[in-house]
Structure formats: structure tokens, C-alpha cells
Amino acid sequence: MDLLNTLVDKGLRRELPTREEALAVLATSDDDLLDVVAAAGKVRRHWFGRRVKLNYLVNLKSGLCPEDCSYCSQRLGSEAGILKYTWLKPDEASQAAAAGLAGGAKRVCLVASGRGPTDRDVDRVSQTIKAIKEENEGVEVCACLGLLSDGQAERLREAGADAYNHNLNTSESTYGDITTTHTYADRVDTVQKAHAAGLSPCSGLIAGMGESDEDLVDVVFSLRELDPDSVPVNFLIPFEGTPLAKEWNLTPQRCLRILAMVRFVCPDVEVRIAGGREVHLRTMQPLALNLANSIFLGDYLTSEGQAGKADLEMIADAGFEVEGAEQVTLPEHRAGGGCHEGAAAGCHEGGTGGCHESAGVCGSAPAEPAGEPVAANEPRTDLVAVRRRGAGTDLAPNA
């Protein structure tokens, strides 16, 4: 297919595809899907080999958020039966992080619900970062605390944070349809503050909220312009008790096409399969490793994920290897930091570093029950399980 040959050539050169080419990837048929995956896989392997980076989430503060993000189980007015607790103490957060690191994670993502941190919150998270780094030499720490005020990113960097995550989530033109308590511009501003402070930029999206192909291409092109080091791709978990509970718009094939499009548009960045992979990719998760070079290990913020042991087996069975702590994730031209030389998109201050935000749209997947098979286009509410273990509980975490 001429389209795929063109996209591979552009990806190897870090050249930005056209919008029409990106839209064409999303419009490919199921008959062409394996060809799409194989083509995007060439780009992924060129920049990242067969390595898979593992990240681990620690939910520092769950629920109780004043924002009205429609996708979020922690939102104002949410009736989802999630865990709700206030800030973990630094030693509690460090113990939670240790489970993920023991499972093979090299980055810990510290997430807290809320509009944004107070200065006291920044002090609290700074103490937590120091506690984790004292116990775990070489660990990467990403903070994800919402909208930042002036000077807060610098303070997190001084405390030892390596990265800051803040997702754009969807296109600018439709952002007001999912959130009214802050703006798309607010999110861009926080991404820029974090990058300017020297934090590794990470910013991503949520697919499956009823958006169009054009919306998906818009947000990924906007991310390319922000030039993040990593792009988490979340797939909406329609939690009961949230406004988007009925939005079951994704199939495994659709998810693979979205990941392929992201890889072609952002060829040399860390593309992370984030919340919802177990719910929407399901048995196609191993195939998605040909497109993304990073995943979250174990559970998410407010929902349960695949068992950590199963994650590791999946990576090995698919012929990939877990990226070691001593290995550098990014290609050499990115690993040095600063503005990235680049493709057609200009160099802008960018996002943050690793986790998907306090939204709680994060995926879940208890073991699939025996019985009659479920039709591919049927809502899989049976795969949405609220997290009841790990941080904020007395039960051992999943890692």
C-alpha cells in the first residue's frame, strides 16, 4: 500500500505526515489492519527496538476532585463507587512505589486528583519524591498533580522530579464539551510550564469519548507541536456514575489504528498504552506492543488492571523485552533534553513525564469469565472493576 510505504519513510526521517495521511490510517479496513500494524511497527522498532518500558502508578489522593471532567470517575458529582482518600504520607507512597519497581517498572508516576496543587501540596509531593529516590537509586519519578501555578514546576524539579504529566485529552474544538471548569489553554499552559522548568514533557489523549477521526488527528497533531518526550494513549473506561458511562465506541481494531496513527505522527517519542488497554484491546494487547513501546504495570488510579505477572508474560510471549533501568528510553537526539530537532512541527515547550492524569479513566481487566462469548461490538461492562487494593487500602498492590 503506497500510503503505508510513505508513512514508514516519513517516520524513519521524523517527518510529519499530512493530516490526510493520518486520517487515512484511521479509515483503513480490518482487512488492511495487519499491514498497518506491520508498517507502524517498523517505525517503532527503528527508534525503540523491541524494548517495552514499564511505568507504575501511585494514586496519592483519590476522588474528591472539584473539576467536572465528563470522563473522570473522580469528578465533581461522580457516583462511581471508587476509593476516596486524602493524601498518602511519604512513607506510604514510597512503599506503594516499591511494589511496582520490584515488578520491573523504571518510572513511578505520582498522581493526585484535584484542579491543581497548593504550595503545601507541592511540599508534600516533594517529600514523597525524595523518599522514593532515597530508597530506589536510579528510579524515574513523574508527578501528575493537575494545573500548575508559577514556580511550582521548578520546585518539583528541585525536589528530584524527572517529569510532569498533563494530558490534552481531546481536540481544542471539542474540549468544552467534556470539561467546563478549566480550558484547553489551561492545559497547554501547564505543559509549557513543566517543560520550561526542565521536566521531561509528557502529554497524551483519551480516545473513545465520542470524538471524530478529525478530533483524534487534531489532538495528536497538537501534541506533535508541543513536542513531548512521551505520549500516553488512554482508552476511555465508561464508569457507571459518570456522564460518559454509555460511551462504548471502541473495538480492538479501532484502538490499534489509533495507536498506529499516533506512532506515525510521533515516530520517535515514547508512545504509552495507558488506561483502558485491557478493556478495549483485550486479547489484542500483544499486537499493540508493535506500536507502543511503553505500558503501565498492574493497576491504574481507580480501576484494576491486568495482573502484573500477566503483563510480564505478555511482553515475553510477544517477543519483546522489558527495558532495564540502565537503558535510555529515548533515541539519542531526544535523550539530551531541550528542544528537539525535528520534523515539520516547530519546537515548543512541551508536556510532562509519564503517567496519565488524575482522571481515573484508567483501564481495568479482571480475568474474563467463562461462558458464552461476548460480541465484539457489545459494551464490556464486565471488564470494568473498581480498584480495591494497593494505595489507600490495607491490601497488597497489583504489580
Side-chain angles (χ1 to χ4, degrees):
M1 187 186 296
D2 289 343
L3 168 68
L4 297 179
N5 291 334
T6 297
L7 288 169
V8 170
D9 289 344
K10 288 186 174 183
L12 300 184
R13 299 196 304 267
R14 291 186 287 140
E15 181 181 339
L16 182 67
T18 66
R19 284 182 53 83
E20 290 71 22
E21 289 166 342
L23 286 167
V25 172
L26 296 178
T28 52
S29 70
D30 287 351
D31 288 343
D32 293 325
L33 182 59
L34 288 181
D35 293 332
V36 172
V37 172
K42 291 180 182 178
V43 178
R44 180 252 201 265
R45 289 192 300 277
H46 176 80
W47 295 110
F48 299 97
R50 302 193 71 82
R51 292 176 286 115
V52 178
K53 181 176 180 177
L54 298 182
N55 310 268
Y56 190 69
L57 282 166
V58 178
N59 197 357
L60 297 177
K61 179 168 74 77
S62 183
L64 314 173
C65 184
E67 301 298 285
D68 70 353
C69 306
S70 300
Y71 49 80
C72 183
S73 61
Q74 305 184 80
R75 72 188 298 272
L76 179 69
S78 170
E79 297 178 1
I82 62 169
L83 290 169
K84 296 179 182 178
Y85 53 86
T86 191
W87 291 93
L88 297 181
K89 293 181 174 62
D91 62 326
E92 294 172 327
S94 182
Q95 290 174 15
L101 296 171
K106 64 183 291 185
R107 171 172 285 185
V108 174
C109 302
L110 302 175
V111 189
S113 62
R115 178 179 178 84
T118 65
D119 287 341
R120 182 182 178 187
D121 294 336
V122 172
D123 289 340
R124 182 184 285 112
V125 175
S126 295
Q127 293 170 13
T128 298
I129 293 169
K130 291 173 183 176
I132 291 172
K133 292 213 161 189
E134 285 173 359
E135 295 294 324
N136 304 278
E137 184 178 357
V139 64
E140 297 176 14
V141 176
C142 166
C144 180
L145 311 174
L147 301 173
L148 293 174
S149 301
D150 290 345
Q152 290 183 329
E154 287 78 6
R155 291 173 58 197
L156 290 168
R157 182 71 180 125
E158 289 169 6
D162 301 284
Y164 194 89
N165 166 259
H166 201 62
N167 295 333
L168 296 186
N169 289 332
T170 192
S171 67
E172 183 175 10
S173 63
T174 60
Y175 193 83
D177 295 336
I178 63 167
T179 304
T180 66
T181 47
H182 61 267
T183 67
Y184 182 91
D186 290 333
R187 287 188 171 270
V188 171
D189 178 67
T190 284
V191 170
Q192 292 174 337
K193 281 185 169 73
H195 195 182
L199 294 165
S200 177
C202 166
S203 190
L205 65 141
I206 304 171
M209 297 189 291
E211 70 281 339
S212 66
D213 285 2
E214 288 76 12
D215 289 323
L216 284 170
V217 169
D218 282 349
V219 68
V220 177
F221 270 59
S222 294
L223 289 166
R224 168 70 181 246
E225 190 174 353
L226 281 174
D227 201 23
D229 287 333
S230 52
V231 174
V233 180
N234 294 280
F235 300 110
L236 174 72
I237 300 302
F239 273 97
E240 289 297 329
T242 65
L244 299 185
K246 305 304 179 187
E247 294 287 340
W248 288 86
N249 303 306
L250 298 171
T251 64
Q253 294 81 4
R254 171 77 168 166
C255 294
L256 290 170
R257 281 189 279 267
I258 291 169
L259 289 167
M261 186 269 287
V262 174
R263 174 56 71 197
F264 286 130
V265 177
C266 304
D268 60 335
V269 308
E270 178 188 344
V271 175
R272 182 173 309 117
I273 316 172
R277 65 179 166 92
E278 300 92 338
V279 176
H280 294 294
L281 280 162
R282 301 192 288 275
T283 59
M284 302 289 266
Q285 289 181 71
L287 199 56
L289 295 177
N290 290 279
L291 308 170
N293 61 296
S294 180
I295 65 171
F296 281 99
L297 177 72
D299 290 338
Y300 300 92
L301 296 175
T302 63
S303 58
E304 292 185 357
Q306 184 166 279
K309 183 174 183 290
D311 287 335
L312 299 177
E313 290 175 348
M314 174 182 73
I315 291 168
D317 288 349
F320 293 88
E321 61 183 25
V322 173
E323 184 174 288
E326 74 288 351
Q327 294 177 294
V328 177
T329 301
L330 296 171
E332 184 177 354
H333 65 274
R334 280 191 172 272
C339 281
H340 308 130
E341 191 180 329
C347 182
H348 294 258
E349 293 175 344
T352 68
C355 44
H356 45 285
E357 61 195 342
S358 54
V361 298
C362 319
S364 64
E368 189 146 348
E372 294 298 319
V374 180
N377 60 347
E378 287 295 313
R380 293 302 305 271
T381 56
D382 59 305
L383 295 181
V384 181
V386 172
R387 180 174 68 85
R388 299 296 184 198
R389 59 195 175 192
T393 78
D394 295 327
L395 299 178
N398 171 29

